[in-house]
């Protein structure tokens, strides 16, 4: 670990442990609250998946036509369903003269056909610091997360699901509506190649001054191929008599390779991890915050006591200039103040009545948190100055 990394780690640790760990406690409490929110959302999704019917494409139309909206219906007018089918192009089932062209995408590198095509280019950089690259570590923490090293393009065409094992000519199909979906896609990698980048004179200068320079370009192509069996989880509805399914933002799945049972097992494991993780993080935050509260409360009481003592000293200093000179000059030993042993005894304590302190020391004793007579240790309420005739 470089010096810049050590300095950053030290700064973050000091910030987390400031106020006796209160900042760390609040951060853990925030993480625990977010964990419980995720647990609640995952549990709700799990309940919806368990109640959702798991059926084939041919059974979906009759279910949507005959069954009234139930508890799983949403404001969009759809019912949560789980459908297992085979991917096919929409042009294969349209039957219109406008669909004579195959509505599919073809991979430029492999030639495979699909309905979703994703191409990714990732530039790989060398991180050598170079001779003058002592600032590269700090730049790595600040700037690298903002800099894009990857570019992705995604193309989609309309597609449908047909029953598994049936020919594309079957009239039973369901249209998959991808609009607004941000769920992960079960794509298949059809092309993966790493190409080295030849060095140039500019590359030498980048290396010399510690700048990152590209050394390779990774090309990837992923598709959702025709004929792939997938599971679609979403809101089913009839659109002009045609069965349609679209994504539901409350569910973590839309297109998936998993079956209904596998999804339920996966979500059950996630709910348990989120539940116990939230309890563990919440317990840690409560313990750290409790410790921070006690420590800061004790520090506040100590600061308050010190401030009171400081005010008492200031009061004594303000009183001392008003003391008569005869209290200091030619004072017999039996009449000296028992505290400062410098001035004449002038103040008597109430209620014990002991005349053992000068005026300044009597005021200092009187302003203590628990004022007590220095002779009999009885608690006092006030002091009174005694004048000689």
């Amino acid at each position: 670990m470089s010096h810049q990394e050590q300095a950053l780690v030290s700064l973050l640790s000091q910030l987390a442990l400031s106020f006796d760990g209160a900042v760390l406690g609040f951060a853990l409490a925030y993480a625990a609250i977010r964990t419980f929110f995720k647990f609640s959302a995952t549990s709700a999704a799990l309940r919806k998946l368990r109640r959702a019917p798991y059926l084939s494409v041919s059974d979906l139309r009759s279910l949507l036509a005959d069954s009234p909206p139930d508890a799983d219906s949403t404001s969009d007018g759809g019912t949560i369903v789980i459908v297992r089918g085979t991917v096919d192009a929409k042009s294969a089932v349209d039957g219109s003269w406008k669909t004579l062209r195959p509505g599919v995408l073809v991979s430029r590198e492999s030639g495979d056909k699909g309905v979703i095509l994703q191409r990714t280019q990732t530039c790989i950089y060398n991180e050598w610091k170079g001779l003058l690259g002592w600032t590269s570590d700090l730049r790595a923490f600040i700037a690298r997360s903002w800099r894009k090293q990857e570019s992705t393009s995604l193309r989609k065409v309309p597609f449908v699901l047909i029953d598994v094992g049936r020919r594309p000519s079957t009239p039973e199909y369901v249209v998959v509506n991808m609009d607004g979906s941000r769920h992960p896609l079960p794509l298949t990698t059809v092309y993966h190649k790493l190409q080295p980048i030849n060095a140039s004179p500019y590359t030498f200068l980048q290396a010399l001054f510690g700048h990152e320079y590209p050394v390779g370009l990774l090309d990837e192509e992923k598709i959702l191929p025709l004929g792939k069996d997938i599971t679609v989880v979403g809101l089913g509805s009839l659109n002009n008599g045609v069965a349609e399914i679209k994504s539901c933002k409350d569910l973590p799945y839309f297109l998936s390779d998993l079956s209904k049972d596998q999804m339920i097992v996966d979500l059950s494991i996630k709910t348990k991890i989120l539940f116990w993780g939230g309890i563990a993080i919440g317990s840690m935050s409560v313990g750290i915050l409790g410790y921070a509260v006690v420590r800061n409360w004790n520090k506040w009481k100590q600061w308050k006591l010190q401030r009171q003592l400081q005010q008492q000293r200031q009061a004594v200093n303000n009183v001392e200039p008003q003391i008569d000179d005869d209290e200091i000059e030619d004072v017999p030993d039996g009449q000296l103040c028992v505290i400062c042993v410098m001035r004449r005894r002038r103040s008597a304590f109430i209620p014990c009545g002991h005349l053992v302190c000068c005026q300044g020391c009597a005021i200092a004793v009187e302003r203590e948190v628990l004022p007590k007579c220095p002779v009999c240790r009885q608690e006092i309420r006030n002091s009174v100055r005694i004048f000689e005739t």
Side-chain angles (χ1 to χ4, degrees):
M1 184 181 292
S2 64
H3 295 292
Q4 289 82 7
E5 294 174 357
Q6 293 177 358
L8 183 61
V9 172
S10 177
L11 178 63
L12 292 177
S13 62
Q14 291 178 3
L15 178 62
L17 297 178
S18 57
F19 299 102
D20 294 310
V23 175
L24 178 61
F26 280 115
L28 290 176
Y30 175 74
I33 292 174
R34 285 184 58 88
T35 301
F36 279 115
F37 275 120
K38 290 181 179 179
F39 165 75
S40 177
T42 307
S43 300
L46 179 60
R47 291 192 296 268
K48 292 179 180 178
L49 282 181
R50 284 175 173 168
R51 292 196 298 262
Y54 186 44
L55 38 82
S56 62
V57 174
S58 57
D59 297 331
L60 178 61
R61 181 189 296 273
S62 59
L63 175 69
L64 296 176
D66 299 338
S67 301
D70 54 9
D72 291 335
S73 299
T74 64
S75 58
D76 297 333
T79 304
I80 297 178
V81 294
I82 304 176
V83 181
R84 184 73 176 178
T86 302
V87 176
D88 200 0
K90 191 172 185 297
S91 59
V93 296
D94 257 349
S96 173
W97 65 271
K98 296 181 180 180
T99 60
L100 295 179
R101 295 180 301 173
V104 296
L105 301 173
V106 180
S107 171
R108 188 177 66 181
E109 304 296 342
S110 65
D112 294 339
K113 296 180 179 181
V115 292
I116 298 177
L117 175 61
Q118 175 180 305
R119 184 173 183 182
T120 305
Q121 287 188 336
T122 306
C123 191
I124 301 175
Y125 289 84
N126 192 316
E127 300 180 2
W128 181 59
K129 299 179 184 179
L131 299 178
L132 304 175
W134 59 274
T135 60
S136 61
D137 284 334
L138 184 61
R139 185 176 67 253
F141 274 101
I142 297 177
R144 186 177 301 169
S145 60
W146 298 343
R147 182 178 180 184
K148 285 188 176 181
Q149 298 182 355
E150 181 179 284
S151 61
T152 302
S153 62
L154 184 66
R155 297 174 58 195
K156 299 175 290 186
V157 295
F159 66 98
V160 298
L161 287 185
I162 61 175
D163 280 321
V164 177
R166 293 197 179 184
R167 299 182 62 84
S169 58
T170 177
E172 295 296 337
Y173 64 91
V174 55
V175 177
V176 180
N177 188 346
M178 295 287 295
D179 295 339
S181 173
R182 297 184 179 273
H183 295 78
L185 301 174
L187 303 180
T188 303
T189 301
V190 295
Y191 180 76
H192 183 94
K193 185 177 181 180
L194 177 62
Q195 299 176 351
I197 298 178
N198 296 328
S200 63
Y202 179 68
T203 303
F204 172 75
L205 293 177
Q206 287 179 311
L208 179 64
F209 288 96
H211 294 283
E212 298 172 351
Y213 57 93
V215 295
L217 184 65
L218 178 63
D219 281 338
E220 287 184 301
E221 279 193 351
K222 297 181 179 180
I223 65 171
L224 183 61
L226 298 177
K228 182 176 182 178
D229 295 338
I230 62 171
T231 302
V232 183
V233 184
L235 302 175
S237 61
L238 291 177
N239 186 7
N240 296 326
V242 178
E244 183 182 72
I245 188 168
K246 61 181 180 179
S247 64
C248 178
K249 63 180 182 179
D250 297 333
L251 299 177
Y253 305 104
F254 180 38
L255 306 181
S256 176
D257 292 324
L258 304 177
S259 63
K260 178 181 178 179
D261 294 337
Q262 292 172 332
M263 293 179 187
I264 291 176
V265 171
D266 185 38
L267 284 183
S268 299
I269 295 175
K270 288 182 180 179
T271 53
K272 292 179 181 179
I273 294 175
L274 291 173
F275 178 76
W276 292 111
I279 290 180
I281 298 175
S283 301
M284 291 175 59
S285 66
V286 170
I288 294 175
L289 287 176
Y291 171 79
V293 168
V294 173
R295 289 277 297 179
N296 285 281
W297 174 257
N298 292 332
K299 286 184 178 180
W300 181 80
K301 290 196 300 183
Q302 186 177 4
W303 172 83
K304 185 177 180 181
L305 180 60
Q306 291 177 354
R307 186 170 179 82
Q308 289 178 352
L309 294 176
Q310 185 179 5
Q311 292 176 352
Q312 291 174 4
R313 294 191 189 99
Q314 292 177 354
V316 171
N317 294 334
N318 293 333
V319 172
E320 284 181 355
Q322 304 174 3
I323 298 176
D324 298 334
D325 293 337
D326 62 345
E327 294 184 5
I328 301 178
E329 298 177 354
D330 300 330
V331 180
D333 293 340
Q335 297 183 13
L336 287 174
C337 174
V338 297
I339 295 179
C340 66
V341 198
M342 292 177 57
R343 292 183 287 269
R344 187 185 299 273
R345 302 178 182 180
R346 289 295 190 188
S347 296
F349 293 116
I350 299 174
C352 65
H354 285 119
L355 180 63
V356 292
C357 293
C358 63
Q359 183 181 2
C361 293
I363 293 176
V365 173
E366 182 183 348
R367 293 183 178 180
E368 291 180 354
V369 179
L370 295 175
K372 294 182 180 180
C373 175
V375 177
C376 64
R377 307 306 297 170
Q378 181 180 352
E379 186 174 351
I380 61 174
R381 298 193 302 269
N382 200 350
S383 65
V384 60
R385 181 171 179 178
I386 306 299
F387 293 94
E388 297 180 358
T389 57

